[in-house]
Amino acid sequence: MERILIKDCLILPMTSEPSGGEEAQEELVISGDVAIEGDTILQVGDQGELPPNWKPTKVIDGKDHLCLPGLVNCHTHAAMTLFRSYADDLPLMYWLEKKIWPVEARLSGEDVYWGTALALIEMIRSGTTTFNDMYFFMDEVAQAVEKIGMRACLARGLIGIGVQGEVALDESKQLIAKWHKQAEGRINIWLGPHAPYTCPPTYLEKVLAVAEEYQVGIHIHLSETEGEIRQIQKQYGKTPVALLRELGAFRYPVVAAHCVHLTDEDIRCLAENGVGVAHNPESNMKLASGIAPVTKLRAAGVAVGIGTDGAASNNNLDMLEETRTAALLQKVATGDPQALPAATALFMATREGARVLGLGDEIGMLKPGYKADLILIDLKQSHWYPKHNLVSQLVYAAQAHDVDTVIINGKVVMENRKITTIDEELVWAQVEERAKRLVEPG
Amino acid sequence: MERILIKDCLILPMTSEPSGGEEAQEELVISGDVAIEGDTILQVGDQGELPPNWKPTKVIDGKDHLCLPGLVNCHTHAAMTLFRSYADDLPLMYWLEKKIWPVEARLSGEDVYWGTALALIEMIRSGTTTFNDMYFFMDEVAQAVEKIGMRACLARGLIGIGVQGEVALDESKQLIAKWHKQAEGRINIWLGPHAPYTCPPTYLEKVLAVAEEYQVGIHIHLSETEGEIRQIQKQYGKTPVALLRELGAFRYPVVAAHCVHLTDEDIRCLAENGVGVAHNPESNMKLASGIAPVTKLRAAGVAVGIGTDGAASNNNLDMLEETRTAALLQKVATGDPQALPAATALFMATREGARVLGLGDEIGMLKPGYKADLILIDLKQSHWYPKHNLVSQLVYAAQAHDVDTVIINGKVVMENRKITTIDEELVWAQVEERAKRLVEPG
């Protein structure tokens, strides 16, 4: 069994909840070693005990590095890297109908495998160790996750209009049978009803019956645009949140992506039912959907994680950037520079994100007994000087490239910026060729 | 004389104005070589003519690189890198009075030299070749600019309350005498009255007399917060923009930083008087100042450049990130995903920024006869695949580290990510020690 010792680093274990005050941020950082055995953290700084005569099989020099839990990307469509920057600055429906849907209709399982592989590399390179995905050809997505070594929650996207809805629900069951808790436990399968406006109540009831049967959670787009609110209100006389509650969806773990347009009653309902929210600030800005009421949600007790959404609407999968944008956007939206301080934003990107995905007892903190999902940030760079407050620097000044080493489930998947589990240039070549064919089929 | 040939690159010359349509973006990119002689661009792709028997003294391989004009940072306080992440997530007046002003009061000229040096390195590393600065100990700032090789507009910040106002104005005159058009023409000196609320009309009139005498422009903070608008309205019964116009400030070139809170009449006034605006989206978000009406300003014909503001309120000096944020923020603020498309945002960060600083005939485009200020972006990275649209990728997906080579005024100041004009680690050590002393003087 591999035993890794990361020596002499600064450590941000994320074990204490941020108070929001400025002093609290400095108290979050300790220094020392991190010891890993197999897939599990044994010791962090001076917490946890090493067995007598414990000897590492691998030592990583942590000098001039900051070690913290891997970031948790709570909502994405990984394979959409294939369409990165293919169609930007367009009205939503034109973008979907004229651009995205036609190219998605041409996707093969292999395309999705390679597009997902590119996404996983990009996520690892920017410090993400767990992601929550909704797409199709999910067997191929799971294969990419297994090979490259990430932790993932995967959901086959379900559209409940037409015959495809039943087929996709069957695929979801097969996906659960084949992949739930597989890949050394790194994969969890969820159900992915796309949204209330694409899944009518009769279909959602079928989805919930499957959730009940297999005891899995629901990943859904919810209250993303004003258009959705108007449509659901008109069809059912209630908000999308109220509609889901009445259908009984909140009896299961739910990750609700976006939640941009909520009433106070919606917020209370999400809090009372323990629904987790995935906040996607850059996608919401780029598509002009609006600004989610993150400060209100958190004040009401709702767990809010952060997500990048797909690369077609972002256009990268950089959780450090997304976390910064989340913090900046809440300040300007609320008119309060104290809203969503750095430590809270980082808490959302790690521990609260883990909780949103139902993984709060396994990941999101560096703590003995937790899974060894962690990242090392290279501090020897101009934008990291001087070092008044490492948490602030990480949230407000860092860039993806600062991440130089990533460990997931105790395995080194990137070391000194080299991906260890797949040939990165092969992925580039595959994606380049496939993307070209998808957008220019003739 | 140095003759540099950059071979076989993709080139974004920024010579044509973006139409805003999606096709236009692809038309902006050409491929070929860029030839530089001394401080000037000779040839771009197949435009411009090389003298017979022209031989380069240095060849740079541009394969897998995108070459474009260096970015123009239209508003910053470079030396504030010393206070990066020292005090964040605080109310503005507490931040200024309890945190920033006390540490600034301890600054020496040497501190400012090293803090500025760090800022210049960080700006070069993220693709900026020209910046517009307002601070104090500006002689030391000019020395750092001369040594490290950037292009700069420098203004001694002027507070018109108390005796220091006269002293600072005298320093401004000395700065003009010593540094205007110096350092191979890379330095321009402006006057830096801080803001209408810190410079009463009688003092502003003195500043304008100096502008008249020396024929230099004005760099000022304008209409940044609602508090400023209320105060000026109460004192003078008009908006800050109207106050400046009535004082005759707009007879001179003016860079107005922020311009967050403007009436329609203010916008017309800025347009009619050719006032340039420096938009600082991340600083405005972080300090909860508001969102500048960039779309309206540009529609009215105002030239709007982009700035990072100082590192104490950002907390990096990354113009690629700032340009992305500018684009995303306008979309969500206007509710229109077509607002400020990628090509327009990039235009603001280069050519329009140059125009704001009065340098539109020298820099901001890759064009024969223009100064050789340009950057190379390394495209062999996962977040640059696939390559549907390079302009979109650059604005929405790139990161600072992608910039690997920077040429300013025909001189290579960074090559393959190594700064050539100063010992970067020496700067880190100086900044670390000085920053520590400044915040913990005891």
Side-chain angles (χ1 to χ4, degrees), chain A residues 22 25 81-86 88-92 94 99 118 121-122 125 282 284-288 290-291 314-316 321 324 328-329 331-332 335-338 340-342 380-383 385-389 392-393 396-397 399-401 424-425 428 431-432 435 439, chain B residues 22 25 81-86 88-92 94 99 118 121-122 125 282 284-288 290-291 314-316 321 324 328-329 331-332 335-338 340-342 380-383 385-389 392-393 396-397 399-401 424-425 428 431-432 435 439:
Chain A
E22 52 177 316
Q25 303 190 10
T81 52
L82 289 163
F83 310 124
R84 187 203 312 275
S85 303
Y86 164 58
D88 292 316
D89 306 315
L90 297 171
L92 182 63
Y94 180 90
K99 293 289 184 172
L118 181 69
I121 292 169
E122 192 187 341
R125 286 198 168 282
E282 294 201 341
N284 297 156
M285 292 170 85
K286 184 150 179 279
L287 299 173
I291 300 174
N314 187 307
N315 298 352
N316 57 35
E321 179 181 301
R324 167 159 53 246
L328 297 178
L329 191 58
K331 295 174 199 299
V332 77
D336 176 8
Q338 296 179 276
L340 206 45
K380 292 199 81 173
Q381 310 205 66
S382 283
H383 57 280
Y385 289 88
K387 297 190 178 62
H388 293 300
N389 183 323
S392 257
Q393 310 252 118
Y396 295 126
Q399 58 173 306
H401 181 263
E424 189 170 8
E425 299 210 10
W428 296 347
V431 164
E432 197 82 306
V439 304
Chain B
E22 53 177 314
Q25 303 191 9
T81 51
L82 289 162
F83 310 123
R84 189 204 310 277
S85 302
Y86 164 58
D88 291 316
D89 306 316
L90 297 172
L92 182 63
Y94 179 91
K99 293 289 183 172
L118 181 71
I121 292 169
E122 190 187 343
R125 286 197 168 283
E282 295 201 342
N284 297 157
M285 293 170 84
K286 185 149 177 278
L287 299 173
I291 300 174
N314 187 309
N315 297 353
N316 57 35
E321 179 181 301
R324 167 159 55 246
L328 297 179
L329 191 58
K331 294 172 199 300
V332 76
D336 177 7
Q338 296 179 277
L340 206 45
K380 291 199 82 174
Q381 309 205 67
S382 283
H383 57 280
Y385 288 89
K387 295 188 180 64
H388 292 301
N389 183 322
S392 258
Q393 310 253 117
Y396 295 127
Q399 59 174 305
H401 181 265
E424 189 170 7
E425 299 210 8
W428 296 347
V431 163
E432 196 83 306
V439 305

Side-chain angles (χ1 to χ4, degrees), chain B residues 135-392:
Chain B
Y135 213 55
F136 41 99
F137 294 112
M138 295 309 288
D139 188 66
E140 282 80 359
V141 173
Q143 290 172 38
V145 170
E146 181 172 49
K147 174 162 179 62
I148 295 175
M150 277 191 83
R151 193 179 302 282
C153 300
L154 307 180
R156 204 290 184 207
L158 304 169
I159 305 281
I161 302 163
V163 63
Q164 281 302 312
E166 300 300 324
V167 174
L169 202 48
D170 276 343
E171 283 180 31
S172 298
K173 292 180 195 173
Q174 293 161 27
L175 198 66
I176 294 169
K178 183 168 175 191
W179 287 106
H180 193 46
K181 307 288 181 194
Q182 297 304 300
E184 301 95 45
R186 286 185 282 109
I187 294 180
N188 284 282
I189 304 299
W190 291 55
L191 296 171
H194 172 264
Y197 62 93
T198 51
C199 296
T202 49
Y203 183 74
L204 278 173
E205 281 165 359
K206 290 180 193 169
V207 175
L208 296 178
V210 178
E212 177 67 32
E213 185 184 348
Y214 292 87
Q215 290 295 305
V216 296
I218 308 281
H219 177 189
I220 189 166
H221 296 89
L222 192 63
S223 302
E224 180 175 1
T225 64
E226 285 179 344
E228 171 187 346
I229 306 294
R230 274 196 303 273
Q231 184 184 332
I232 296 296
Q233 194 77 47
K234 191 172 161 196
Q235 279 184 281
Y236 308 104
K238 57 196 72 160
T239 67
V241 171
L243 177 66
L244 284 194
R245 187 199 55 214
E246 286 176 27
L247 287 168
F250 298 158
R251 288 198 305 266
Y252 309 97
V254 171
V255 178
H258 300 300
C259 290
V260 172
H261 302 282
L262 300 173
T263 64
D264 288 347
E265 176 55 31
D266 285 341
I267 292 174
R268 265 194 302 277
C269 174
L270 295 173
E272 281 167 14
N273 289 282
V275 174
V277 167
H279 173 47
N280 305 275
E282 295 201 342
S283 169
N284 297 157
M285 293 170 84
K286 185 149 177 278
L287 299 173
S289 305
I291 300 174
V294 172
T295 307
K296 272 191 178 180
L297 282 163
R298 295 196 78 252
V302 178
V304 184
I306 299 175
T308 59
D309 212 345
S313 61
N314 187 309
N315 297 353
N316 57 35
L317 304 175
D318 179 346
M319 276 287 293
L320 280 172
E321 179 181 301
E322 204 74 32
T323 303
R324 167 159 55 246
T325 302
L328 297 179
L329 191 58
Q330 282 304 299
K331 294 172 199 300
V332 76
T334 60
D336 177 7
Q338 296 179 277
L340 206 45
T344 305
L346 191 62
F347 184 80
M348 289 170 61
T350 53
R351 207 170 137 185
E352 198 150 297
R355 198 175 131 210
V356 166
L357 301 187
L359 300 172
D361 295 332
E362 290 179 48
I363 58 162
M365 286 187 265
L366 300 187
K367 188 174 162 175
Y370 266 55
K371 295 295 180 191
D373 286 13
L374 49 85
I375 65 178
L376 288 170
I377 306 270
D378 170 10
L379 303 181
K380 291 199 82 174
Q381 309 205 67
S382 283
H383 57 280
W384 275 93
Y385 288 89
K387 295 188 180 64
H388 292 301
N389 183 322
L390 291 170
V391 176
S392 258

